[in-house]
Amino acid sequence: MSERLEDIAAAMVATGKGLLAADESTATIGKRFDTIGLASTETSRRDYREMLFRSDEAMKACISGVILYEETLFQKAADGTPFVDIIRAAGAVPGIKVDTGAKPMAKFPGETITEGLDGLAGRLKTYYDAGARFAKWRGVISVSDILPSFGAIKANAQALARYAALCQEAGIVPIVEPEVLMDGAPGNHSIDRSEEVTEETLRIVFEELSDARVSLEGMILKPSMVIDGKKARQASVAEVAERTLKVLKRTVPAAVPGIAFLSGGQSTEEATAHLSAMKAGSDLPWGMTFSYGRALQTEALTAWSGKPENVAAGQRAFTHRAKMCSLAATGGWKKEFEQAA
Ligand code: 13P
């Protein structure tokens, strides 16, 4: 596999493939495990992720890369095989979440700034040596009638740009993820407000990337979709697709090789339908696919439920969802395929 940033980025958005975001922090995976009544331990986290990464059919056909949390990058499967080797053997690229989380931003009530820049150059070297060839950093933008503030967007965009520059110097493709929240408090904003905030955020992010001398050809953008707040859901699939594409065309330079969406709390089927609608019939300047966490894993987690005898059921659920997302990434998903499983 080529080590050029452009080639790695192209492989990450290869036709019909997308990214599995399995980089939940220890706190977040704990919350996910709570939904199935499972205690989060190093072993249960390993078993869960091993179930996903050993879903051979899904991994080989549908998954171009896996975003890992630091613990998992260095973790081994039950038989001692490093996870990085399992992922590579499936033809996927291992990646790593490198931010250390969104923290309350001083003087900006209700807003956060994502941390993790201190010492990042050194950590990136360690991650590269462990096999990571791309990284992820998530900036979080909260929406209300008065939020986000310009100051919070700017600070998060600057951090994303500094991170991206450090990644490229380390030979690692940065996934630049400015997430405009659809849930958060109060979560009742309209799709108009989502469109306005997403457009402003992406404009500022690309200004900062340019100021930081980030090579657009060697990065992937991971945006949220333009969608109404979780408590105000109204927009149709076609409207979400149309508005999201409008904003992306206005703000994302054609030099960016790929856009890989987060799911952000959409149901698995919604996230699949929206991506498929965007890809169907559109002539887009960038590659476009999924980088879903919850929208790839929810059904697999429930089917597995932490029981060794359910590994095959969990893998079947993951494989179905990955196939649906893969179809969506070519614009070819249809609702009736969901029942055909
Ligand atoms: P979701 O698809 O669950 O939003 O997760 C993607 C992700 O990586 C969030 O940072």
Side-chain angles (χ1 to χ4, degrees):
M1 162 107 199
S2 161
E3 296 276 304
R4 290 176 64 233
L5 295 178
E6 291 84 339
D7 295 335
I8 298 165
M12 289 164 68
V13 295
T15 308
K17 289 191 173 186
L19 300 163
L20 165 61
D23 60 321
E24 299 84 3
S25 64
T26 303
T28 301
I29 199 75
K31 282 190 224 150
R32 305 273 188 269
F33 283 4
D34 284 346
T35 66
I36 55 164
L38 179 68
S40 173
T41 64
E42 199 180 330
T43 307
S44 64
R45 294 191 291 272
R46 179 201 69 191
D47 290 347
Y48 174 60
R49 285 161 173 155
E50 178 165 357
M51 186 265 295
L52 297 174
F53 305 160
R54 287 209 195 264
S55 297
D56 246 29
E57 190 188 350
M59 290 291 296
K60 286 189 176 141
C62 312
I63 303 297
S64 57
V66 183
I67 317 177
L68 303 167
Y69 189 57
E70 190 180 66
E71 173 183 88
T72 324
L73 180 70
F74 297 101
Q75 212 168 22
K76 295 180 168 72
D79 70 359
T81 314
F83 277 143
V84 164
D85 292 352
I86 294 174
I87 292 166
R88 281 206 197 113
V93 186
I96 172 85
K97 183 229 296 287
V98 303
D99 67 69
T100 54
K103 307 286 160 56
M105 183 162 157
K107 308 249 183 196
F108 287 77
E111 303 196 280
T112 59
I113 176 70
T114 299
E115 295 186 347
L117 288 173
D118 286 356
L120 181 55
R123 284 199 288 134
L124 287 168
K125 195 176 170 329
T126 310
Y127 299 148
Y128 183 96
D129 291 343
R133 290 296 176 272
F134 71 89
K136 178 192 115 168
W137 179 292
R138 172 174 171 261
V140 181
I141 306 298
S142 299
V143 185
S144 73
D145 290 346
I146 51 165
L147 299 182
S149 65
F150 175 75
I153 299 177
K154 180 98 175 158
N156 277 288
Q158 241 163 20
L160 276 165
R162 293 300 319 136
Y163 138 83
L166 285 162
C167 284
Q168 291 188 335
E169 276 206 348
I172 287 179
V173 171
I175 295 183
V176 172
E177 180 180 1
E179 176 173 7
V180 176
L181 290 181
M182 64 181 268
D183 45 13
N188 59 358
H189 56 275
S190 65
I191 193 167
D192 294 329
R193 184 86 183 110
S194 171
E195 181 178 323
E196 182 178 60
V197 171
T198 307
E199 182 168 339
E200 183 177 17
T201 300
L202 290 175
R203 268 192 212 295
I204 296 172
V205 165
F206 279 99
E207 276 167 24
E208 293 293 339
L209 289 168
S210 164
D211 289 352
R213 302 183 177 167
V214 171
S215 157
L216 297 178
E217 290 80 2
M219 64 163 273
I220 298 289
L221 178 71
K222 176 162 172 167
S224 39
M225 296 179 196
V226 173
I227 191 163
D228 29 23
K230 210 166 179 179
K231 296 195 195 110
R233 183 54 42 76
Q234 278 180 354
S236 65
V237 169
E239 184 167 14
V240 170
E242 191 245 312
R243 295 225 202 188
T244 304
L245 286 182
K246 180 167 85 177
V247 167
L248 293 173
K249 285 178 181 168
R250 285 180 172 178
T251 54
V252 185
V256 172
I259 294 176
F261 289 103
L262 61 90
S263 60
Q266 298 179 46
S267 73
T268 54
E269 200 171 311
E270 278 176 327
T272 313
H274 289 146
L275 175 61
S276 194
M278 280 187 261
K279 287 291 289 196
S282 310
D283 186 15
L284 304 172
W286 343 266
M288 181 175 278
T289 188
F290 56 89
S291 176
Y292 294 160
R294 283 162 287 179
L296 273 173
Q297 295 181 48
T298 302
E299 291 133 355
L301 178 65
T302 310
W304 174 65
S305 279
K307 301 195 172 76
E309 63 271 27
N310 289 342
V311 165
Q315 290 180 329
R316 267 196 307 279
F318 175 59
T319 302
H320 170 70
R321 183 48 46 202
K323 281 183 179 171
M324 294 298 106
C325 288
S326 166
L327 282 166
T330 61
W333 173 85
K334 290 194 177 64
K335 194 173 171 58
E336 50 265 35
F337 299 158
E338 294 287 345
Q339 278 78 45

